[in-house]
Amino acid sequence: KEVADDLTRLIETANAPIFGIDRNGNVSEWNRKTAEITGFAKNEAMGKNLVNTFIHADHRSSVSEVLTKALFGDETSNYELPLFTKEGEQRDLLLNAT
């Protein structure tokens, strides 16, 4: 339990955006830095489909492909993920999907 709490705290307070998705592509983790960059609070993002909610339609297919591969164990490094902010601005994040 203590190790799990320490890892949760580390993810939450990291100085890098960290988010996670479940097998259906729904947001299951959204740390403070991700909230700061996107403008979406954790409670606004959790459970939402990452691609359909936070990715522009022009990029959804390629982002879905990368995330699906990651979910099946095919890691991706340094993929430019075009996330949209609450204000509608695009923020390109460097994604390492494992």
Side-chain angles (χ1 to χ4, degrees):
K1 170 100 173 103
E2 189 175 318
V3 172
D5 289 345
D6 287 347
L7 289 174
T8 299
R9 203 168 19 261
L10 178 66
I11 289 169
E12 188 58 32
T13 60
N15 195 29
I18 298 174
F19 59 88
I21 58 170
D22 62 19
R23 292 185 185 275
N24 297 315
N26 298 323
V27 176
S28 58
E29 183 57 61
W30 194 263
N31 77 344
R32 288 182 195 164
K33 187 54 97 171
T34 306
E36 180 184 316
I37 289 169
T38 64
F40 289 99
K42 185 172 189 168
N43 66 338
E44 294 175 298
M46 294 296 284
K48 301 269 176 40
N49 185 276
L50 179 78
V51 172
N52 293 335
T53 307
F54 303 104
I55 306 295
H56 189 277
D58 293 346
H59 302 285
R60 287 182 185 153
S61 178
S62 62
V63 171
S64 276
E65 185 178 333
V66 167
L67 295 176
T68 299
K69 285 180 179 180
L71 287 170
F72 285 97
D74 187 6
E75 296 183 9
T76 298
S77 295
N78 301 325
Y79 175 80
E80 285 190 31
L81 181 74
L83 273 183
F84 270 89
T85 68
K86 198 170 190 176
E87 293 77 32
E89 298 172 351
Q90 182 173 318
R91 294 282 186 266
D92 293 326
L93 303 181
L94 209 51
L95 175 73
N96 291 300
T98 59

